[in-house]
Amino acid sequence: MLEVWGRRNSINVQKVLWCCEELDLAYCLVEAGGPFGRTADPEYRALNPTGLVPTLVDDGIVVWESNAIVRYLARRHGAGTLWPDDAQTHARAESWMEWQTTVWLRLRPAFIGLIRTPEGERNAARIESAVETTAGHMRLLDSHLAKHDYVAGPEFSMGDIPIGATVSRWLRLDISRPPTPALTAWEKRLAQRRAYTDMVSSIPLS
């Protein structure tokens, strides 16, 4: 059985759990990181030298970094579905997965400021800058999704998972957002997937 080390409220762990659920894979969640600790233990550092979550252990194969884990699971268990066969579709999924890492870095200061920082200690200018910068990225995604049902094309793929976990946070933060009708429609399509609602959108931001 797969082992996923991490905590359910982590965006990066949610990507992996969502992927496992989409592929109907049996897994065990080993709670680690945040209040659970364990990531500084020698046992964990032997698996993942960064001390971050998630880490996947699959029959002796160890993978860390969330998007790498999603790719690994999609390739091993989701050929033709999460792992697109068509070269262009696959390349598009890969490109948007890379793009997501940049967007999360831009959004993260606002997320940390609004969700994990007491109101009296928040850096309002930093939060505002993060929201404004992220809004530009979301408009770009909206333009793309106006032409495609999912990020890689007409079908759901591994490319939607990292971006979906990020957009879920963007849409749930108490902030002003520009109109993004195509992005909003896409997120509603994601919300019809049990794995997304169970592993991402129903979990409180924390």
Side-chain angles (χ1 to χ4, degrees), residues 110-121:
F111 180 83
I112 296 297
L114 293 170
I115 302 300
R116 297 185 182 174
T117 305
E119 187 173 357
E121 300 174 17

Side-chain angles (χ1 to χ4, degrees), residues 83-95 152 158:
W83 185 266
D85 289 332
D86 175 72
Q88 178 60 73
T89 304
H90 184 92
R92 193 178 291 122
E94 292 273 12
S95 297
M158 65 181 183

Side-chain angles (χ1 to χ4, degrees), residues 125-187:
R126 190 178 187 202
I127 292 171
E128 182 180 357
S129 176
V131 170
E132 183 178 347
T133 302
T134 305
H137 290 293
M138 293 301 175
R139 282 192 290 264
L140 176 66
L141 177 59
D142 183 69
S143 295
H144 174 71
L145 290 170
K147 305 170 188 173
H148 304 278
D149 286 344
Y150 295 95
V151 297
E155 304 295 336
F156 179 85
S157 75
M158 65 181 183
D160 294 282
I161 291 175
I163 300 175
T166 305
V167 167
S168 176
R169 282 157 171 75
W170 168 253
L171 294 176
R172 288 192 284 159
L173 288 176
D174 185 15
I175 56 175
S176 295
R177 289 176 290 271
T180 50
L183 181 152
T184 302
W186 166 75
E187 195 276 338

Side-chain angles (χ1 to χ4, degrees), residues 55-110:
T55 298
L56 176 79
V57 182
D58 179 14
D59 194 24
I61 298 172
V62 179
V63 192
W64 41 273
E65 291 295 321
S66 57
N67 286 2
I69 296 172
V70 170
R71 288 183 176 98
Y72 168 82
L73 292 173
R75 183 178 184 220
R76 184 161 188 179
H77 302 285
T81 56
L82 292 191
W83 185 266
D85 289 332
D86 175 72
Q88 178 60 73
T89 304
H90 184 92
R92 193 178 291 122
E94 292 273 12
S95 297
W96 285 101
M97 290 176 78
E98 291 298 309
W99 179 84
Q100 179 271 334
T101 61
T102 298
V103 177
W104 177 239
L105 287 175
R106 302 295 182 267
L107 178 59
R108 192 172 185 273

